[in-house]
Amino acid sequence: MATSSPIIIYFIALFITSFITSTILAISVPPELTDNLRTDPGAIKLASIDYGHIIKEKPFAVLYPSSVDDIRTLIYLSYNSLFSYTIAAKGQAHSTWGQAQANDGVIVQMNSLNRFRNGTGILISGDRSSGFYADVGGEQLWIDVLNATLTRGLSPVSWTDYLYPTVGGTLSNAGISGHTYRKGPQITNVLELDVLTGTYYNRD
């Protein structure tokens, strides 16, 4: 009697999972996301490469958001879908071991937000009596945060030795550097953080 091969079963399961994801997105994606959601081979290839080239997972689509609302809508669709799919944020792609990958899911290309910020991605506020602070988008590079603060005669309290990762990327790993022993990791110097959760709501 012939027995089913586990390899064949695996590929069938993989095909079904991919088909379900593509069907859900095709049916449920609202018009405002259609232009920003890419499934072409070029976008998929870039999003599937891990920084260390060890982990490689292909997403079904890549979202190039024009606003935070685009990301919120995507999370809402997945959370309320019968078959939810993985969503992962990707900045400068310095993450390893698949942290910024989503197999058969959707990658959010965070630096796409820069094109729509109109100079509001980094805002320096405050005064000497009350103290200064920077309101910064998670997609911003630390080198740009530094340059913005220098125009006011200021600088971040703590930063990483390499200044070309995104703010969100380093904060997700605490933001440790060679001078952390003096001012603490970057995350300890954050006064407020807006987070989009899987339930679609903002959490401060």
Side-chain angles (χ1 to χ4, degrees), residues 11-27 60 83 104:
F11 280 119
I12 291 175
L14 187 63
F15 171 77
I16 292 174
T17 302
S18 179
F19 175 76
I20 289 173
T21 303
S22 61
T23 302
I24 290 171
L25 286 173
I27 295 174
F60 170 74
F83 299 97
D104 285 324

Side-chain angles (χ1 to χ4, degrees), residues 49-60:
I49 299 174
D50 185 78
Y51 181 69
H53 295 278
I54 297 175
I55 307 296
K56 184 176 181 180
E57 295 184 343
K58 291 179 64 176
F60 170 74

Side-chain angles (χ1 to χ4, degrees), residues 1-185:
M1 180 182 294
T3 58
S4 299
S5 168
I7 296 178
I8 295 176
I9 293 173
Y10 169 78
F11 280 119
I12 291 175
L14 187 63
F15 171 77
I16 292 174
T17 302
S18 179
F19 175 76
I20 289 173
T21 303
S22 61
T23 302
I24 290 171
L25 286 173
I27 295 174
S28 62
V29 171
E32 60 266 26
L33 288 188
T34 303
D35 293 339
N36 298 334
L37 200 65
R38 291 176 53 182
T39 57
D40 59 278
I44 297 300
K45 181 178 180 180
L46 286 175
S48 64
I49 299 174
D50 185 78
Y51 181 69
H53 295 278
I54 297 175
I55 307 296
K56 184 176 181 180
E57 295 184 343
K58 291 179 64 176
F60 170 74
V62 182
L63 177 67
Y64 292 80
S66 59
S67 69
V68 174
D69 284 338
D70 286 351
I71 305 173
R72 183 183 289 112
T73 300
L74 180 68
I75 294 174
Y76 180 80
L77 290 174
S78 176
Y79 184 78
N80 288 278
S81 172
L82 182 61
F83 299 97
S84 61
Y85 41 87
T86 303
I87 299 172
K90 183 178 181 181
Q92 291 294 94
H94 291 120
S95 297
T96 58
W97 292 105
Q99 181 180 338
Q101 295 182 335
N103 190 44
D104 285 324
V106 181
I107 297 294
V108 179
Q109 190 62 56
M110 295 297 294
N111 53 22
S112 174
L113 290 170
N114 264 330
R115 296 185 292 128
F116 305 94
R117 288 287 196 181
N118 296 320
T120 63
I122 304 173
L123 299 175
I124 313 299
S125 305
D127 52 46
R128 293 191 179 278
S129 60
S130 62
F132 295 94
Y133 65 91
D135 189 352
V136 182
E139 79 286 349
Q140 300 297 317
L141 302 184
W142 277 107
I143 185 65
D144 295 328
V145 176
L146 175 61
N147 289 332
T149 56
L150 287 176
T151 62
R152 300 282 296 272
L154 306 167
S155 69
V157 175
S158 178
W159 58 56
T160 53
D161 299 324
Y162 180 63
L163 296 175
Y164 289 86
T166 59
V167 171
T170 62
L171 291 183
S172 69
N173 290 283
I176 299 173
S177 69
H179 63 268
T180 295
Y181 71 96
R182 298 184 60 191
K183 298 294 184 179

